[in-house]
Amino acid sequence: MTAADPSRAPAALDAFREDRTYLGADHARNERRTWLVTVICAVTLAAQLAGGIVFRSMALTASGLHMAAHVAALLVAAGAYALARRHAEDPRFAFGTGKLGYLAGFANAVVLAITAVLIAVESVHRLLNPEAVHYEGALPLAAAGLAVTVLCMLLLKPGRAHVARHDPDGDLNIAAAHLHLVADAAVSVVALLAMLLGRQLGWDFADPLAGLVGAGLVAHFAWRLLNRAGAALLDVNPSADLTAEVRTRLQAGGARVLDLHLWRLGPGHHAVIAVVAGHEDAQALRARLAGLPGVSHVTIETHADADHAHHGHVH
Protein backbone atom coordinates (compact mmCIF):
# COMPACT_ATOMS: atom_id res chain seq x y z
CA MET A 1 0.00 0.00 0.00
CA THR A 2 1.69 3.21 -1.15
CA ALA A 3 0.89 6.90 -0.81
CA ALA A 4 0.38 9.17 -3.79
CA ASP A 5 3.04 11.84 -4.24
CA PRO A 6 1.44 15.18 -3.24
CA SER A 7 4.06 17.07 -5.26
CA ARG A 8 2.35 15.83 -8.43
CA ALA A 9 -0.92 17.58 -7.56
CA PRO A 10 -1.86 20.60 -9.68
CA ALA A 11 -0.97 24.02 -8.28
CA ALA A 12 -4.66 24.89 -7.82
CA LEU A 13 -5.14 21.86 -5.58
CA ASP A 14 -1.99 22.72 -3.61
CA ALA A 15 -3.44 26.15 -2.81
CA PHE A 16 -6.77 24.59 -1.88
CA ARG A 17 -5.08 22.08 0.40
CA GLU A 18 -3.74 24.82 2.66
CA ASP A 19 -7.20 26.30 3.32
CA ARG A 20 -8.95 24.82 6.37
CA THR A 21 -11.25 27.80 6.89
CA TYR A 22 -14.72 26.27 6.68
CA LEU A 23 -16.75 29.30 7.74
CA GLY A 24 -20.05 30.23 6.10
CA ALA A 25 -20.16 32.69 3.22
CA ASP A 26 -22.25 35.08 5.37
CA HIS A 27 -20.12 34.70 8.51
CA ALA A 28 -19.09 38.36 8.87
CA ARG A 29 -22.59 39.65 8.10
CA ASN A 30 -24.22 37.26 10.53
CA GLU A 31 -21.76 38.10 13.31
CA ARG A 32 -22.38 41.86 13.03
CA ARG A 33 -26.15 41.47 12.98
CA THR A 34 -26.16 39.05 15.89
CA TRP A 35 -24.34 41.55 18.12
CA LEU A 36 -26.77 44.32 17.09
CA VAL A 37 -29.84 42.21 17.83
CA THR A 38 -28.34 41.17 21.18
CA VAL A 39 -28.27 44.80 22.32
CA ILE A 40 -31.83 45.45 21.11
CA CYS A 41 -33.16 42.34 22.88
CA ALA A 42 -31.38 43.22 26.14
CA VAL A 43 -33.16 46.59 26.28
CA THR A 44 -36.52 44.98 25.47
CA LEU A 45 -35.97 42.31 28.13
CA ALA A 46 -35.59 44.90 30.86
CA ALA A 47 -38.81 46.66 29.79
CA GLN A 48 -40.89 43.46 29.57
CA LEU A 49 -39.83 42.02 32.92
CA ALA A 50 -40.42 45.34 34.64
CA GLY A 51 -43.85 45.59 33.01
CA GLY A 52 -44.76 42.02 33.95
CA ILE A 53 -43.96 42.71 37.60
CA VAL A 54 -45.66 46.11 37.77
CA PHE A 55 -48.82 45.05 35.88
CA ARG A 56 -48.92 41.45 37.20
CA SER A 57 -49.19 39.96 33.71
CA MET A 58 -48.08 36.34 33.30
CA ALA A 59 -48.26 36.66 29.52
CA LEU A 60 -45.97 39.68 29.62
CA THR A 61 -43.68 37.96 32.11
CA ALA A 62 -43.56 34.92 29.81
CA SER A 63 -42.51 37.14 26.93
CA GLY A 64 -39.86 38.68 29.15
CA LEU A 65 -38.51 35.29 30.24
CA HIS A 66 -38.40 34.19 26.64
CA MET A 67 -36.57 37.40 25.71
CA ALA A 68 -34.06 36.65 28.48
CA ALA A 69 -33.46 33.32 26.78
CA HIS A 70 -32.93 35.21 23.54
CA VAL A 71 -30.29 37.43 25.07
CA ALA A 72 -28.45 34.38 26.39
CA ALA A 73 -28.86 32.57 23.07
CA LEU A 74 -27.71 35.55 21.05
CA LEU A 75 -24.65 35.97 23.25
CA VAL A 76 -23.79 32.33 22.64
CA ALA A 77 -24.34 32.74 18.88
CA ALA A 78 -22.30 35.94 18.67
CA GLY A 79 -19.54 34.39 20.77
CA ALA A 80 -19.46 31.34 18.49
CA TYR A 81 -19.04 33.58 15.44
CA ALA A 82 -16.23 35.50 17.12
CA LEU A 83 -14.40 32.37 18.27
CA ALA A 84 -14.79 30.63 14.92
CA ARG A 85 -13.37 33.66 13.12
CA ARG A 86 -10.53 34.12 15.59
CA HIS A 87 -9.39 30.49 15.44
CA ALA A 88 -10.32 29.75 11.82
CA GLU A 89 -6.69 29.03 10.87
CA ASP A 90 -5.64 27.42 14.15
CA PRO A 91 -3.93 24.11 13.24
CA ARG A 92 -5.20 22.52 16.47
CA PHE A 93 -8.62 22.23 14.80
CA ALA A 94 -8.15 19.38 12.32
CA PHE A 95 -11.25 20.34 10.33
CA GLY A 96 -11.44 24.04 11.13
CA THR A 97 -13.89 25.86 13.38
CA GLY A 98 -16.97 25.75 11.17
CA LYS A 99 -18.81 23.46 13.60
CA LEU A 100 -18.75 25.96 16.45
CA GLY A 101 -22.00 27.33 15.08
CA TYR A 102 -23.65 23.91 15.36
CA LEU A 103 -22.46 23.61 18.95
CA ALA A 104 -23.90 27.04 19.71
CA GLY A 105 -27.17 26.04 18.03
CA PHE A 106 -27.42 22.93 20.22
CA ALA A 107 -26.73 24.98 23.36
CA ASN A 108 -29.43 27.45 22.34
CA ALA A 109 -31.90 24.62 21.82
CA VAL A 110 -31.26 23.54 25.43
CA VAL A 111 -31.87 27.12 26.58
CA LEU A 112 -35.18 27.15 24.69
CA ALA A 113 -36.24 23.89 26.32
CA ILE A 114 -35.44 25.21 29.81
CA THR A 115 -37.37 28.41 29.04
CA ALA A 116 -40.41 26.36 28.02
CA VAL A 117 -40.34 24.54 31.37
CA LEU A 118 -40.02 27.78 33.35
CA ILE A 119 -42.94 29.39 31.52
CA ALA A 120 -45.11 26.31 31.98
CA VAL A 121 -44.39 26.07 35.72
CA GLU A 122 -45.16 29.75 36.33
CA SER A 123 -48.31 29.59 34.19
CA VAL A 124 -49.67 26.64 36.18
CA HIS A 125 -48.93 28.51 39.40
CA ARG A 126 -50.88 31.53 38.12
CA LEU A 127 -53.82 29.30 37.10
CA LEU A 128 -53.99 27.86 40.60
CA ASN A 129 -53.37 31.22 42.27
CA PRO A 130 -55.00 33.87 40.01
CA GLU A 131 -53.86 37.48 40.17
CA ALA A 132 -55.52 40.54 38.70
CA VAL A 133 -53.84 41.77 35.51
CA HIS A 134 -53.51 45.49 34.73
CA TYR A 135 -54.29 45.19 31.03
CA GLU A 136 -54.06 48.86 30.14
CA GLY A 137 -50.41 48.97 31.09
CA ALA A 138 -49.48 45.47 29.95
CA LEU A 139 -50.95 45.65 26.43
CA PRO A 140 -48.75 48.50 25.11
CA LEU A 141 -45.62 46.80 26.43
CA ALA A 142 -46.62 43.49 24.87
CA ALA A 143 -47.28 45.19 21.53
CA ALA A 144 -43.95 46.99 21.73
CA GLY A 145 -42.19 43.71 22.51
CA LEU A 146 -43.75 42.09 19.45
CA ALA A 147 -42.65 45.00 17.25
CA VAL A 148 -39.08 44.71 18.52
CA THR A 149 -39.11 40.96 17.93
CA VAL A 150 -40.29 41.37 14.34
CA LEU A 151 -37.54 43.96 13.75
CA CYS A 152 -34.92 41.58 15.13
CA MET A 153 -36.30 38.74 13.01
CA LEU A 154 -35.77 40.84 9.91
CA LEU A 155 -32.25 41.78 10.98
CA LEU A 156 -31.34 38.13 11.55
CA LYS A 157 -32.99 36.75 8.43
CA PRO A 158 -30.45 34.31 6.95
CA GLY A 159 -28.70 35.65 3.86
CA ARG A 160 -28.74 34.12 0.40
CA ALA A 161 -25.77 31.91 1.17
CA HIS A 162 -27.62 30.32 4.09
CA VAL A 163 -29.51 27.68 2.13
CA ALA A 164 -28.36 25.59 -0.79
CA ARG A 165 -29.57 22.38 -2.37
CA HIS A 166 -26.60 20.48 -0.95
CA ASP A 167 -26.89 22.01 2.53
CA PRO A 168 -30.48 22.96 3.48
CA ASP A 169 -29.53 23.72 7.11
CA GLY A 170 -26.79 26.14 6.05
CA ASP A 171 -25.54 28.36 8.88
CA LEU A 172 -27.34 26.71 11.79
CA ASN A 173 -26.00 29.31 14.22
CA ILE A 174 -27.92 32.17 12.59
CA ALA A 175 -30.86 29.83 11.98
CA ALA A 176 -31.00 29.01 15.70
CA ALA A 177 -30.93 32.68 16.68
CA HIS A 178 -33.63 33.44 14.10
CA LEU A 179 -35.73 30.53 15.37
CA HIS A 180 -35.57 31.96 18.90
CA LEU A 181 -37.08 35.17 17.60
CA VAL A 182 -39.75 33.36 15.59
CA ALA A 183 -40.76 31.50 18.74
CA ASP A 184 -40.84 34.75 20.69
CA ALA A 185 -43.04 36.39 18.07
CA ALA A 186 -45.48 33.48 18.32
CA VAL A 187 -45.54 33.73 22.12
CA SER A 188 -46.06 37.50 21.90
CA VAL A 189 -49.03 37.12 19.55
CA VAL A 190 -50.65 34.59 21.89
CA ALA A 191 -49.99 36.89 24.85
CA LEU A 192 -51.59 39.85 23.11
CA LEU A 193 -54.69 37.87 22.21
CA ALA A 194 -55.00 36.60 25.77
CA MET A 195 -54.74 40.09 27.25
CA LEU A 196 -57.30 41.45 24.80
CA LEU A 197 -59.71 38.69 25.79
CA GLY A 198 -59.03 39.35 29.42
CA ARG A 199 -59.69 43.06 29.09
CA GLN A 200 -62.81 42.77 26.92
CA LEU A 201 -64.47 39.69 28.47
CA GLY A 202 -62.95 39.59 31.94
CA TRP A 203 -61.29 36.24 31.26
CA ASP A 204 -58.34 36.56 33.63
CA PHE A 205 -57.61 32.86 33.18
CA ALA A 206 -56.73 33.55 29.51
CA ASP A 207 -53.46 35.20 30.58
CA PRO A 208 -51.88 32.14 32.27
CA LEU A 209 -53.39 29.88 29.60
CA ALA A 210 -51.51 31.96 27.05
CA GLY A 211 -48.37 31.26 29.04
CA LEU A 212 -49.00 27.50 28.73
CA VAL A 213 -49.62 27.77 25.00
CA GLY A 214 -46.44 29.80 24.68
CA ALA A 215 -44.52 27.15 26.60
CA GLY A 216 -45.77 24.52 24.15
CA LEU A 217 -44.67 26.59 21.17
CA VAL A 218 -41.23 27.18 22.63
CA ALA A 219 -40.85 23.47 23.42
CA HIS A 220 -41.76 22.64 19.80
CA PHE A 221 -39.12 25.00 18.43
CA ALA A 222 -36.56 23.65 20.91
CA TRP A 223 -37.18 20.07 19.77
CA ARG A 224 -36.78 21.00 16.11
CA LEU A 225 -33.52 22.80 16.81
CA LEU A 226 -32.16 19.97 18.99
CA ASN A 227 -32.75 17.52 16.13
CA ARG A 228 -31.03 19.69 13.53
CA ALA A 229 -28.02 20.67 15.64
CA GLY A 230 -27.62 17.19 17.09
CA ALA A 231 -27.59 15.67 13.60
CA ALA A 232 -24.78 18.02 12.54
CA LEU A 233 -22.71 17.37 15.67
CA LEU A 234 -23.14 13.59 15.32
CA ASP A 235 -22.12 13.71 11.64
CA VAL A 236 -25.42 12.44 10.29
CA ASN A 237 -25.28 12.43 6.48
CA PRO A 238 -26.45 15.97 5.63
CA SER A 239 -27.51 15.44 2.03
CA ALA A 240 -28.58 12.29 0.22
CA ASP A 241 -28.52 14.23 -3.06
CA LEU A 242 -24.91 15.36 -2.60
CA THR A 243 -23.84 11.87 -1.56
CA ALA A 244 -25.48 10.42 -4.67
CA GLU A 245 -23.77 13.01 -6.87
CA VAL A 246 -20.36 12.20 -5.38
CA ARG A 247 -20.93 8.49 -5.91
CA THR A 248 -22.08 9.02 -9.50
CA ARG A 249 -19.02 11.12 -10.37
CA LEU A 250 -16.58 8.67 -8.81
CA GLN A 251 -18.13 5.73 -10.66
CA ALA A 252 -18.44 7.51 -14.02
CA GLY A 253 -15.40 5.74 -15.52
CA GLY A 254 -16.38 2.27 -14.42
CA ALA A 255 -14.86 2.45 -10.94
CA ARG A 256 -16.74 0.99 -7.99
CA VAL A 257 -17.25 2.88 -4.71
CA LEU A 258 -16.65 0.46 -1.85
CA ASP A 259 -17.15 2.92 1.01
CA LEU A 260 -18.35 6.52 1.09
CA HIS A 261 -18.88 8.98 3.94
CA LEU A 262 -20.09 12.60 3.80
CA TRP A 263 -20.31 14.96 6.77
CA ARG A 264 -20.50 18.66 7.57
CA LEU A 265 -17.44 20.80 8.28
CA GLY A 266 -19.30 24.11 8.50
CA PRO A 267 -21.99 26.10 6.69
CA GLY A 268 -21.82 25.12 3.02
CA HIS A 269 -18.73 22.93 3.56
CA HIS A 270 -18.61 19.13 3.56
CA ALA A 271 -15.92 16.48 3.79
CA VAL A 272 -15.88 13.31 1.70
CA ILE A 273 -13.95 10.12 2.33
CA ALA A 274 -14.23 7.31 -0.17
CA VAL A 275 -12.69 3.92 -0.93
CA VAL A 276 -12.82 3.20 -4.67
CA ALA A 277 -11.93 0.08 -6.62
CA GLY A 278 -10.79 0.57 -10.20
CA HIS A 279 -7.84 1.41 -12.46
CA GLU A 280 -7.78 5.20 -11.96
CA ASP A 281 -5.50 6.79 -9.39
CA ALA A 282 -6.70 9.00 -6.54
CA GLN A 283 -5.67 12.19 -8.35
CA ALA A 284 -7.92 11.44 -11.34
CA LEU A 285 -10.83 10.58 -9.07
CA ARG A 286 -10.39 13.78 -7.06
CA ALA A 287 -10.47 15.77 -10.28
CA ARG A 288 -13.98 14.45 -10.92
CA LEU A 289 -15.18 16.12 -7.71
CA ALA A 290 -13.53 19.43 -8.49
CA GLY A 291 -16.03 22.27 -8.51
CA LEU A 292 -18.80 20.25 -6.88
CA PRO A 293 -20.70 22.77 -4.70
CA GLY A 294 -20.40 22.06 -0.99
CA VAL A 295 -17.44 19.66 -1.19
CA SER A 296 -14.45 21.28 0.51
CA HIS A 297 -12.33 18.35 1.73
CA VAL A 298 -11.81 15.06 -0.10
CA THR A 299 -9.94 11.94 0.96
CA ILE A 300 -9.81 9.02 -1.49
CA GLU A 301 -8.25 5.58 -1.21
CA THR A 302 -8.02 3.58 -4.43
CA HIS A 303 -7.73 -0.18 -4.84
CA ALA A 304 -6.58 -1.72 -8.11
CA ASP A 305 -6.58 -5.23 -6.67
CA ALA A 306 -6.27 -6.98 -3.34
CA ASP A 307 -2.55 -6.24 -2.95
CA HIS A 308 -2.18 -2.66 -4.20
CA ALA A 309 -3.76 0.57 -3.06
CA HIS A 310 -3.08 4.27 -3.43
CA HIS A 311 -3.98 7.03 -1.00
CA GLY A 312 -4.60 10.68 -1.70
CA HIS A 313 -6.40 13.61 -0.12
CA VAL A 314 -7.16 17.25 -0.67
CA HIS A 315 -8.90 19.82 1.50
Side-chain angles (χ1 to χ4, degrees):
M1 190 172 288
T2 59
D5 182 2
S7 65
R8 298 175 60 187
L13 291 180
D14 283 339
F16 198 31
R17 181 180 292 108
E18 296 174 359
D19 184 12
R20 290 175 182 253
T21 303
Y22 302 127
L23 304 182
D26 287 334
H27 188 93
R29 166 197 179 275
N30 292 342
E31 182 179 354
R32 289 193 303 271
R33 296 196 177 200
T34 302
W35 282 116
L36 173 61
V37 171
T38 301
V39 173
I40 294 173
C41 286
V43 173
T44 306
L45 159 67
Q48 286 184 327
L49 287 182
I53 293 172
V54 171
F55 302 119
R56 298 180 181 179
S57 168
M58 184 56 228
L60 194 56
T61 301
S63 293
L65 287 173
H66 197 194
M67 188 61 74
H70 290 332
V71 173
L74 289 166
L75 285 173
V76 170
Y81 280 125
L83 287 173
R85 172 176 46 80
R86 180 178 179 183
H87 298 287
E89 299 180 5
D90 191 329
R92 294 177 300 173
F93 296 92
F95 287 99
T97 56
K99 274 195 171 181
L100 274 174
Y102 301 123
L103 184 60
F106 189 86
N108 284 339
V110 173
V111 171
L112 268 180
I114 293 174
T115 303
V117 172
L118 291 175
I119 294 174
V121 169
E122 182 61 23
S123 296
V124 170
H125 174 74
R126 289 291 183 92
L127 277 173
L128 298 177
N129 302 278
E131 294 186 18
V133 179
H134 299 282
Y135 296 109
E136 298 304 322
L139 276 167
L141 277 177
L146 177 58
V148 170
T149 299
V150 172
L151 171 63
C152 292
M153 282 173 56
L154 294 175
L155 288 173
L156 282 188
K157 183 179 180 181
R160 293 180 180 178
H162 167 70
V163 176
R165 181 180 64 85
H166 59 268
D167 188 14
D169 278 337
D171 189 339
L172 195 58
N173 195 18
I174 195 72
H178 188 258
L179 191 59
H180 268 270
L181 295 169
V182 171
D184 187 62
V187 172
S188 296
V189 169
V190 172
L192 275 170
L193 290 175
M195 284 187 282
L196 287 171
L197 287 173
R199 185 184 67 174
Q200 297 300 119
L201 304 176
W203 293 357
D204 289 341
F205 63 87
D207 190 73
L209 278 179
L212 283 175
V213 173
L217 289 172
V218 174
H220 170 71
F221 285 121
W223 179 248
R224 285 178 53 193
L225 188 53
L226 280 170
N227 282 331
R228 294 169 63 189
L233 292 173
L234 292 174
D235 293 329
V236 172
N237 189 311
S239 173
D241 289 342
L242 183 57
T243 302
E245 178 66 20
V246 169
R247 185 183 299 275
T248 298
R249 291 195 181 198
L250 291 177
Q251 295 183 152
R256 185 162 52 97
V257 174
L258 303 177
D259 192 22
L260 176 61
H261 299 277
L262 178 79
W263 69 95
R264 289 186 181 93
L265 297 174
H269 297 280
H270 299 84
V272 171
I273 182 169
V275 179
V276 183
H279 299 290
E280 295 179 271
D281 62 18
Q283 194 63 39
L285 291 168
R286 286 198 302 268
R288 291 184 179 177
L289 301 182
L292 184 58
V295 174
S296 304
H297 180 107
V298 177
T299 301
I300 293 179
E301 178 181 321
T302 61
H303 287 262
D305 52 49
D307 299 319
H308 297 86
H310 301 279
H311 300 279
H313 72 274
V314 61
H315 309 308

